[in-house]
Amino acid sequence: MRRLPVYLLLDTSGSMSGEPIEAVKNGVQMMIHSLRQNPQAIETAFVSIITFDSAATQVIPLTDLASFRMLDLKASGVTAMGAALELLADKLQNEVARTTPEQKGDWKPLVFIMTDGVPTDDWQRGYNKLKAANKGLIVGCAAGLDADDTVLKQIATSVVRLDNADSESISKFFQWVTASVSTTSTKVEESGKEVTGLAQLPPPPSELVIIS
């Protein structure tokens, strides 16, 4: 079976404490619940969560939807996005099956990066490592007015912005991620064609502004 790997890179720095981090946890749980209702997604989508604050951690390895169990997330520290990109590159190399002459590998991954701030470490080093991996489609989300989208524009295939990092806006972002995963899993299952850009995903809600 060819899997559709989905990686969520979530900012858990101190500025996300309170309403934003609670909204992120609720958003992930809603996403998993909704995807479990989709017959293509339940067969194909595997989800991993990498958090980044003062360090980067893969809190949930690439897991099928039926087995997925959300963990509690705490917000503290700074924004080590570079470390998260390095960790993502490692996981793409080690967790995603490559196509060989003998067998088809996994589908190209979907990666969603959500941050409300500015990287506090060497993000370019992490990005250079990521470029060498088979990275698939990367979507960046700048959440709130303090989020710097200039770095995300260099890392991601496409970037969207939320003007507010409140529970309603973050919930809308995760609803769109859910729809994007559903659409992609249906597309690869039915047509065998991979999603290569934002134009092939569902249109984002009005709270999400496409900036690149």
Side-chain angles (χ1 to χ4, degrees):
M1 184 196 69
R2 301 183 73 180
R3 303 177 302 173
L4 174 65
V6 179
Y7 286 88
L8 303 179
L9 271 64
L10 303 176
D11 186 339
T12 52
S13 60
S15 56
M16 288 288 290
S17 61
E19 185 181 354
I21 197 72
E22 292 303 316
V24 166
K25 287 189 288 190
N26 291 337
V28 173
Q29 286 172 315
M30 175 214 73
M31 180 185 93
I32 298 298
H33 176 74
S34 179
L35 290 174
R36 282 175 178 158
Q37 317 304 313
N38 179 311
Q40 275 98 4
I42 194 88
E43 290 290 322
T44 314
F46 281 61
V47 179
S48 169
I49 293 181
I50 290 172
T51 58
F52 56 100
D53 37 62
S54 297
T57 308
Q58 188 185 39
V59 293
I60 298 176
L62 204 57
T63 303
D64 66 276
L65 294 173
S67 307
F68 189 97
R69 295 290 176 272
M70 187 56 185
L71 300 178
D72 193 26
L73 301 179
K74 298 273 193 284
S76 66
V78 291
T79 313
M81 188 189 290
L85 298 177
E86 283 199 59
L87 182 56
L88 173 63
D90 287 340
K91 298 307 175 185
L92 291 178
Q93 297 282 11
N94 298 330
E95 292 182 335
V96 179
R98 304 214 171 285
T99 296
T100 67
E102 290 76 39
Q103 66 169 28
K104 293 275 194 185
D106 292 330
W107 301 105
K108 283 192 174 177
L110 284 177
V111 177
F112 295 90
I113 305 171
M114 182 185 206
T115 180
D116 74 335
V118 183
T120 52
D121 63 350
D122 185 358
W123 67 268
Q124 285 177 307
R125 191 178 96 168
Y127 178 52
N128 288 335
K129 187 169 181 183
L130 180 59
K131 276 195 294 191
N134 177 18
K135 62 178 188 280
L137 178 63
I138 299 179
V139 178
C141 176
L145 297 176
D146 294 329
D148 182 3
D149 57 37
T150 55
V151 171
L152 285 176
K153 284 180 191 169
Q154 296 176 71
I155 295 167
T157 319
S158 298
V159 179
V160 296
R161 172 174 277 288
L162 287 172
D163 284 340
N164 296 299
D166 58 14
S167 57
E168 186 176 345
S169 299
I170 290 172
S171 172
K172 292 287 187 187
F173 171 70
F174 278 100
Q175 287 174 28
W176 178 68
V177 171
T178 304
S180 298
V181 174
S182 291
T183 297
T184 305
S185 59
T186 301
K187 188 177 175 71
V188 296
E189 285 280 308
E190 292 182 353
S191 71
K193 291 198 169 67
E194 296 179 297
V195 169
T196 56
L198 209 60
Q200 294 161 287
L201 297 179
S206 58
E207 289 84 354
L208 274 178
V209 180
I210 299 172
I211 55 177
S212 76

